Amino acid sequence: MKPLNQAQISFASNSVNEGFGRAAVAAFLAQLDPTVADLSDMRTAVSEAVTNAIVHGYRDSMGTVYISVKIYEGGKAVVRVRDRGCGIPDIPQAMEPLFTTGGEERAGLGFAVMQSFCDSVRVTSAVGRGTSVTLTKTFASKA
């Protein structure tokens, strides 16, 4: 299926850029005229995915976070957040609630949050090559 509209952005993995990624995706998705709650849900999911790329993907190094957003007929949105960081050796374990590689200051709930706000969350990763998180959500029309 061909997207009706799409956008791509990339930015340095500075933690201050997490808000930019979240806001840029929300601004693009606003054309779907979503409810405030639906848009807030997607902003939160994108925020978690970007934070994971910055904190876990690149750990103590700098890299680039890539985001692509596609809109399809029927209000379906697909957001892909990708990094070229360290990768995830065990995806099922990483997606378990409370599991974290970020130390005591991290709750380990990022993937659980993403799953609770999206229709689907798909994670692909290769150790030493990076991770891709694909978030899918269909926005209901307000009409």
Side-chain angles (χ1 to χ4, degrees), residues 3-10 24-25 28-29 31 66-71 78-80:
L4 299 174
N5 200 359
Q6 60 186 333
Q8 289 111 26
I9 59 171
S10 62
V25 170
F28 187 78
L29 294 177
Q31 66 190 282
Y66 305 88
I67 301 178
S68 69
V69 188
K70 295 181 180 180
I71 293 174
V78 178
V79 179
R80 183 174 169 224

Side-chain angles (χ1 to χ4, degrees), residues 18-85:
E18 177 274 326
F20 167 70
R22 174 184 63 220
V25 170
F28 187 78
L29 294 177
Q31 66 190 282
L32 292 171
D33 195 24
T35 65
V36 171
D38 279 346
L39 191 58
S40 179
D41 289 352
M42 192 55 124
R43 284 173 51 99
T44 301
V46 169
S47 179
E48 290 294 335
V50 171
T51 298
N52 279 356
I54 293 169
V55 172
H56 302 289
Y58 291 114
R59 294 192 181 143
D60 294 322
S61 64
M62 289 302 298
T64 303
V65 176
Y66 305 88
I67 301 178
S68 69
V69 188
K70 295 181 180 180
I71 293 174
Y72 296 90
E73 285 196 32
K76 179 180 175 182
V78 178
V79 179
R80 183 174 169 224
V81 178
R82 185 172 55 87
D83 66 66
R84 292 186 178 150

